[in-house]
PDB file of all heavy atoms in Angstrom:
ATOM      1  N   ALA A  23     -19.223  43.123 -52.752  1.00 39.00           N
ATOM      2  CA  ALA A  23     -17.980  42.589 -53.267  1.00 39.00           C
ATOM      3  C   ALA A  23     -17.553  41.326 -52.540  1.00 39.00           C
ATOM      4  O   ALA A  23     -17.021  40.408 -53.138  1.00 39.00           O
ATOM      5  CB  ALA A  23     -16.882  43.645 -53.158  1.00 39.00           C
ATOM      6  N   CYS A  29     -12.995  30.492 -57.789  1.00 36.00           N
ATOM      7  CA  CYS A  29     -11.982  29.724 -57.080  1.00 36.00           C
ATOM      8  C   CYS A  29     -11.354  28.688 -57.981  1.00 36.00           C
ATOM      9  O   CYS A  29     -11.782  28.456 -59.086  1.00 36.00           O
ATOM     10  CB  CYS A  29     -12.599  29.033 -55.861  1.00 36.00           C
ATOM     11  SG  CYS A  29     -13.971  27.938 -56.243  1.00 36.00           S
ATOM     12  N   GLN A  75     -27.319  44.941 -61.854  1.00 94.00           N
ATOM     13  CA  GLN A  75     -27.523  44.467 -63.209  1.00 94.00           C
ATOM     14  C   GLN A  75     -28.994  44.502 -63.610  1.00 94.00           C
ATOM     15  O   GLN A  75     -29.332  44.833 -64.746  1.00 94.00           O
ATOM     16  CB  GLN A  75     -26.973  43.040 -63.334  1.00 94.00           C
ATOM     17  CG  GLN A  75     -27.525  42.198 -64.480  1.00 94.00           C
ATOM     18  CD  GLN A  75     -27.170  42.747 -65.849  1.00 94.00           C
ATOM     19  OE1 GLN A  75     -26.165  43.431 -66.008  1.00 94.00           O
ATOM     20  NE2 GLN A  75     -28.007  42.468 -66.840  1.00 94.00           N
ATOM     21  N   ARG A  86     -27.001  55.209 -69.511  1.00 95.00           N
ATOM     22  CA  ARG A  86     -26.649  53.812 -69.275  1.00 95.00           C
ATOM     23  C   ARG A  86     -25.217  53.582 -69.715  1.00 95.00           C
ATOM     24  O   ARG A  86     -24.676  54.366 -70.500  1.00 95.00           O
ATOM     25  CB  ARG A  86     -27.599  52.867 -70.012  1.00 95.00           C
ATOM     26  CG  ARG A  86     -27.727  53.147 -71.489  1.00 95.00           C
ATOM     27  CD  ARG A  86     -28.822  52.335 -72.133  1.00 95.00           C
ATOM     28  NE  ARG A  86     -28.377  51.009 -72.534  1.00 95.00           N
ATOM     29  CZ  ARG A  86     -29.190  50.034 -72.937  1.00 95.00           C
ATOM     30  NH1 ARG A  86     -30.500  50.231 -72.959  1.00 95.00           N
ATOM     31  NH2 ARG A  86     -28.719  48.864 -73.299  1.00 95.00           N
ATOM     32  N   VAL A 164     -32.623  69.759 -65.010  1.00 98.00           N
ATOM     33  CA  VAL A 164     -31.344  70.367 -64.664  1.00 98.00           C
ATOM     34  C   VAL A 164     -30.926  69.855 -63.295  1.00 98.00           C
ATOM     35  O   VAL A 164     -31.651  70.033 -62.311  1.00 98.00           O
ATOM     36  CB  VAL A 164     -31.426  71.908 -64.649  1.00 98.00           C
ATOM     37  CG1 VAL A 164     -30.061  72.504 -64.306  1.00 98.00           C
ATOM     38  CG2 VAL A 164     -31.927  72.431 -65.994  1.00 98.00           C
ATOM     39  N   VAL A 184     -32.105  54.864 -61.046  1.00 97.00           N
ATOM     40  CA  VAL A 184     -33.248  54.535 -61.899  1.00 97.00           C
ATOM     41  C   VAL A 184     -34.367  55.567 -61.744  1.00 97.00           C
ATOM     42  O   VAL A 184     -34.499  56.213 -60.707  1.00 97.00           O
ATOM     43  CB  VAL A 184     -33.767  53.120 -61.583  1.00 97.00           C
ATOM     44  CG1 VAL A 184     -32.704  52.079 -61.929  1.00 97.00           C
ATOM     45  CG2 VAL A 184     -34.161  52.980 -60.107  1.00 97.00           C
ATOM     46  N   PRO A 207     -36.577  48.329 -70.651  1.00 98.00           N
ATOM     47  CA  PRO A 207     -36.937  47.451 -71.777  1.00 98.00           C
ATOM     48  C   PRO A 207     -37.821  46.267 -71.389  1.00 98.00           C
ATOM     49  O   PRO A 207     -38.458  45.677 -72.258  1.00 98.00           O
ATOM     50  CB  PRO A 207     -35.577  46.966 -72.288  1.00 98.00           C
ATOM     51  CG  PRO A 207     -34.629  47.152 -71.149  1.00 98.00           C
ATOM     52  CD  PRO A 207     -35.127  48.337 -70.394  1.00 98.00           C
ATOM     53  N   LEU A 266     -14.436  29.326 -60.592  1.00 81.00           N
ATOM     54  CA  LEU A 266     -13.342  29.019 -61.501  1.00 81.00           C
ATOM     55  C   LEU A 266     -12.844  27.588 -61.380  1.00 81.00           C
ATOM     56  O   LEU A 266     -12.182  27.087 -62.289  1.00 81.00           O
ATOM     57  CB  LEU A 266     -12.198  30.011 -61.293  1.00 81.00           C
ATOM     58  CG  LEU A 266     -12.582  31.483 -61.565  1.00 81.00           C
ATOM     59  CD1 LEU A 266     -11.377  32.385 -61.377  1.00 81.00           C
ATOM     60  CD2 LEU A 266     -13.161  31.654 -62.948  1.00 81.00           C
ATOM     61  N   ALA A 382      -8.837  30.723 -50.039  1.00 93.00           N
ATOM     62  CA  ALA A 382      -8.001  31.918 -50.083  1.00 93.00           C
ATOM     63  C   ALA A 382      -7.455  32.247 -48.697  1.00 93.00           C
ATOM     64  O   ALA A 382      -6.282  32.611 -48.546  1.00 93.00           O
ATOM     65  CB  ALA A 382      -8.807  33.095 -50.629  1.00 93.00           C
ATOM     66  N   SER A 453      -8.781  61.757 -50.175  1.00 92.00           N
ATOM     67  CA  SER A 453      -9.960  62.607 -50.315  1.00 92.00           C
ATOM     68  C   SER A 453      -9.688  63.785 -51.242  1.00 92.00           C
ATOM     69  O   SER A 453     -10.507  64.116 -52.113  1.00 92.00           O
ATOM     70  CB  SER A 453     -10.407  63.109 -48.943  1.00 92.00           C
ATOM     71  OG  SER A 453     -11.573  63.884 -49.047  1.00 92.00           O
TER      72      SER A 453
END
Side-chain angles (χ1 to χ4, degrees):
C29 58
Q75 158 64 26
R86 54 189 275 169
V164 181
V184 296
L266 299 182
S453 182

